[in-house]
Amino acid sequence: MTDPRAVARPVQAVVLAGGQGSRLRPYTDDRPKPMVEIPGTGTPIIGHQLSWLAEEGVTDVVVSCGHLAEVLQEWLDTADLPLSVTTVVETEPLGRGGGLKYAAAHLPHPDRPWYATNGDIWTRFSLRDMADFHTERDAVATLALARPRIPWGAVRTDGFGHITDFIEAPPSTFEINAGVYVFSPEFAGLLPERGDHERTTFPHLARERRLAGFPIPQGSYWRAIDTAKDLTEAAKELSAQSR
């Protein structure tokens, strides 16, 4: 018997891959951030993302390009991809919300839900579970939430101010926007033509209780690749997982 929730799960996605990646220089001097290779894998960030999306049932992806778009497009043209990929390039800066709206207009099924992910996220968790969570809460948009590790050692104290323990790189007590989303079909119509949806569309939906937050399950891998240190840490984590 077919799970009725499966009908509502997206089969299409947008990858936002137009950022400058200035904090990843010199890696991004000759390629966009999603084309930076995860050390030890032989595959750029976007390659890992496309494989993950395909494993989660996605058949069509629109990649929104910007900085050094031709490098990314050339790789996509020659790579053996597990799904169908279309690229779009903004002719003028539209901001994050406008860029998302522009990319969404090229999805093959405008009347169906869709995933979106930032182009610098390397993660693995069940998008199917996230889509079911989104449907169960009747949300227009659902954000994946992560608890990144604090890059410093932390201390634990008792009620008298005595230090009782040292904790190396503990998880943050706050959840953050993990850069992975599920959107209902009507979400695209709520996006601004130009500007930042996180300052306009998301707060509006939050006030209406139509914005949901899906905690990435404990133990699932998540990392935003923002700096050279993130690449080094990702390589270490990959090595540890393969042992």
Side-chain angles (χ1 to χ4, degrees):
M1 185 174 180
T2 302
D3 185 344
R5 296 177 303 177
V7 178
R9 292 172 187 158
V11 296
Q12 56 187 355
V14 167
V15 176
L16 297 172
Q20 292 283 335
S22 56
R23 289 192 294 170
L24 259 176
R25 288 177 178 159
Y27 297 100
T28 51
D29 284 345
D30 61 354
R31 70 197 64 192
K33 187 193 287 191
M35 280 302 299
V36 174
E37 181 184 318
I38 301 293
T41 69
T43 303
I45 297 168
I46 194 167
H48 294 282
Q49 290 184 322
L50 295 175
S51 293
W52 173 51
L53 290 169
E55 289 165 6
E56 292 295 323
V58 174
T59 58
D60 294 271
V61 171
V62 176
V63 179
S64 178
C65 307
H67 174 64
L68 297 174
E70 65 280 0
V71 177
L72 178 51
Q73 289 172 321
E74 182 178 349
W75 182 83
L76 291 169
D77 287 342
T78 58
D80 182 15
L81 302 176
L83 35 65
S84 175
V85 177
T86 302
T87 60
V88 296
V89 182
E90 297 174 26
T91 55
E92 57 181 317
L94 299 175
R96 290 192 296 176
L100 191 58
K101 187 183 188 79
Y102 180 67
H106 294 79
L107 288 168
H109 309 291
D111 58 339
R112 300 185 66 179
W114 46 292
Y115 297 117
T117 180
N118 295 342
D120 58 357
I121 302 299
W122 189 29
T123 187
R124 282 291 187 279
F125 65 91
S126 174
L127 283 176
R128 292 180 174 91
D129 287 350
M130 185 176 173
D132 293 345
F133 180 96
H134 171 84
T135 300
E136 289 160 4
R137 280 147 187 83
D138 193 28
V140 173
T142 297
L143 288 61
L145 305 177
R147 291 186 184 271
R149 290 195 171 276
I150 298 171
W152 308 283
V155 295
R156 180 174 285 131
T157 60
D158 62 18
F160 295 98
H162 298 120
I163 293 176
T164 60
D165 199 5
F166 292 88
I167 307 167
E168 186 63 30
S172 168
T173 56
F174 293 98
E175 294 174 311
I176 67 163
N177 180 350
V180 180
Y181 311 91
V182 182
F183 296 134
S184 294
E186 63 265 38
F187 180 75
L190 302 175
L191 287 165
E193 296 292 338
R194 285 182 174 76
D196 188 348
H197 60 293
E198 295 193 10
R199 294 173 182 257
T200 55
T201 311
F202 280 174
H204 172 74
L205 290 174
R207 287 191 295 270
E208 294 187 342
R209 298 293 188 269
R210 303 296 301 279
L211 184 68
F214 174 79
I216 294 177
Q218 187 174 3
S220 298
Y221 187 79
W222 179 89
R223 178 173 285 278
I225 308 295
D226 289 322
T227 66
K229 183 178 180 182
D230 289 322
L231 281 174
T232 303
E233 292 299 317
K236 288 180 182 177
E237 290 157 355
L238 180 66
S239 177
Q241 288 176 1
S242 62
R243 288 174 188 165

